[in-house]
Amino acid sequence: MPQGTVLGQLLFLTYINDLPSEVSSQVRLFADDCLLYRPIRSRADQEQLQRDLSALQAWADKWGMNFNPSKCFILRVNRPKSKGLPFDYGLKGVTLERVQSTPYLGVRLSETLEWESHINTIAAKANSTLGFLRRNLKVCPLKLKETAYFAMIRSCLEYSCAVWDPFRQKDIDKLNKIQRSAARFVTSNYKKTTSVTSLIQNLGWDDLQLRRKNCRLVCLFKIVNQLVEIPISDRLIPADKRTRGGHNQAFKHIRANTTLGQNSFWYKTIPDWNSLSPAAIQAKTVAAFKGRLSD
């Protein structure tokens, strides 16, 4: 099939559909990306993961597919002070490289589950794109430059932000600085005496932190209404009916003992969800829910 056709994609997904059944570890597939993972608590777990890697290679040989070991990496997710259990994993006779962080579907994952490396990456990309727009759209109308900012820069700053919404002020400031620079570009106002905050208000742009909060809430709305394949049985536990709240779909707060846990998606979003108005919770569609977030 010619590359890029709708039928070609469908046939490819059908062709690799049996891959997860070949291993005991968890598998996540997206197009031609394959993520294999399992909790490692003992040597036996490590050996099983290696057997699964060998099973993937056998599957590939059977069906005429090919894994490229140079593009496959090992990422060990540990607590900061934990060194983990040493083990060298291999694929096609090649020892896989261990990395501290790696991109997956546009998000850079790190072994500590911190998001600084991802934020640095998207900030650098956004600043580079902003420089490109400054050079090429210098004399264009305000609305055109604003549309370019929304499409090429803000979309980059908000991709999957429900997952990595930062809590450290330096990371928040780094992203806000890009929007402030964009406001000067869009309005063509580079005077040092001009208030950038006023420029942003006059443009009607929402604060990036508020937008990320709304993205988290929209994601939770999709989870609650089973619009995405995310299990909720161990996360979303209905709150005590005797607890005062604004609506009857409140959930118990998640407990966490670490800083990362206390700033994770579930920990931060459930209190925000519980404080929403009944009208927002009762929305029938994602579009309606988004519209009621600002009410």
Side-chain angles (χ1 to χ4, degrees), residues 220 224 232-245 247-256 264-275:
L220 187 54
V224 170
I232 62 175
S233 58
D234 61 337
R235 295 292 183 179
L236 298 181
I237 302 173
D240 193 327
K241 297 299 182 182
R242 295 171 296 178
T243 302
R244 288 189 175 185
H247 54 81
N248 59 3
Q249 291 191 44
F251 300 106
K252 288 185 178 180
H253 290 195
I254 301 294
R255 292 184 178 181
S264 63
F265 171 80
W266 298 105
Y267 192 98
K268 290 201 301 185
T269 310
I270 288 177
D272 293 334
W273 172 272
N274 292 346
S275 65

Side-chain angles (χ1 to χ4, degrees), residues 142-143 146 150 179 183 186-187 189 194-206:
L142 183 150
K143 279 298 180 183
E146 182 181 57
F150 290 163
Q179 172 147 291
V186 169
T187 59
N189 189 332
T194 301
S195 168
V196 182
T197 301
S198 297
L199 290 180
I200 293 175
Q201 291 175 347
N202 292 336
L203 287 168
W205 294 356
D206 290 329

Side-chain angles (χ1 to χ4, degrees), residues 50-290:
Q50 179 57 62
R51 284 194 292 270
D52 286 340
L53 287 170
S54 300
L56 287 182
Q57 182 56 47
W59 174 89
D61 293 339
K62 177 181 178 181
W63 295 111
M65 302 290 286
N66 184 39
F67 290 107
N68 186 348
S70 65
K71 295 183 179 180
C72 299
F73 305 98
I74 296 295
L75 181 70
R76 294 189 175 110
V77 178
N78 301 308
R79 292 185 182 275
K81 295 182 180 180
S82 174
K83 296 182 180 180
L85 300 173
F87 193 91
D88 291 328
Y89 298 95
L91 183 66
K92 295 182 65 175
V94 178
T95 299
L96 299 180
E97 179 186 358
R98 179 186 173 184
V99 295
Q100 294 181 332
S101 66
T102 187
Y104 178 66
L105 302 182
V107 177
R108 180 164 286 275
L109 305 176
S110 73
E111 61 183 0
T112 60
L113 293 184
E114 294 183 345
W115 300 107
E116 184 175 6
S117 62
H118 174 73
I119 292 169
N120 289 340
T121 299
I122 63 171
K125 180 179 179 181
N127 278 318
S128 177
T129 304
L130 182 56
F132 172 82
L133 295 182
R134 284 198 188 105
R135 294 189 299 272
N136 291 275
L137 301 182
K138 183 176 181 180
V139 297
C140 291
L142 183 150
K143 279 298 180 183
L144 191 149
K145 290 192 286 187
E146 182 181 57
T147 300
Y149 164 63
F150 290 163
M152 300 179 67
I153 298 177
R154 196 170 73 177
S155 62
C156 172
L157 297 179
E158 294 181 343
Y159 174 74
S160 295
C161 63
V163 176
W164 56 262
D165 184 15
F167 63 92
R168 292 191 175 94
Q169 193 59 46
K170 67 174 184 177
D171 294 329
I172 295 172
D173 292 342
K174 184 176 295 184
L175 300 178
N176 287 341
K177 184 178 180 181
I178 297 171
Q179 172 147 291
R180 294 172 67 85
S181 297
R184 287 193 178 279
F185 155 70
V186 169
T187 59
S188 300
N189 189 332
Y190 296 95
K191 296 179 181 178
K192 293 183 178 180
T193 56
T194 301
S195 168
V196 182
T197 301
S198 297
L199 290 180
I200 293 175
Q201 291 175 347
N202 292 336
L203 287 168
W205 294 356
D206 290 329
D207 177 72
L208 292 180
Q209 197 167 6
L210 174 61
R211 289 180 59 84
R212 290 192 295 270
K213 173 186 173 181
N214 288 344
C215 284
R216 287 191 285 106
L217 288 168
V218 169
C219 184
L220 187 54
F221 177 83
K222 293 178 180 179
I223 294 171
V224 170
N225 289 277
Q226 300 180 348
L227 300 176
V228 291
E229 287 290 335
I230 296 179
I232 62 175
S233 58
D234 61 337
R235 295 292 183 179
L236 298 181
I237 302 173
D240 193 327
K241 297 299 182 182
R242 295 171 296 178
T243 302
R244 288 189 175 185
H247 54 81
N248 59 3
Q249 291 191 44
F251 300 106
K252 288 185 178 180
H253 290 195
I254 301 294
R255 292 184 178 181
N257 298 321
T258 64
T259 301
L260 287 177
Q262 292 169 359
N263 290 278
S264 63
F265 171 80
W266 298 105
Y267 192 98
K268 290 201 301 185
T269 310
I270 288 177
D272 293 334
W273 172 272
N274 292 346
S275 65
L276 291 175
S277 67
I281 296 298
Q282 294 165 7
K284 300 300 182 182
T285 65
V286 174
F289 180 75
K290 288 180 179 179

Side-chain angles (χ1 to χ4, degrees), residues 15-30:
Y15 191 66
I16 66 171
N17 192 52
D18 67 327
L19 187 152
S21 64
E22 299 294 317
V23 298
S24 63
S25 300
Q26 294 293 318
V27 177
R28 291 291 179 266
L29 298 174
F30 185 87

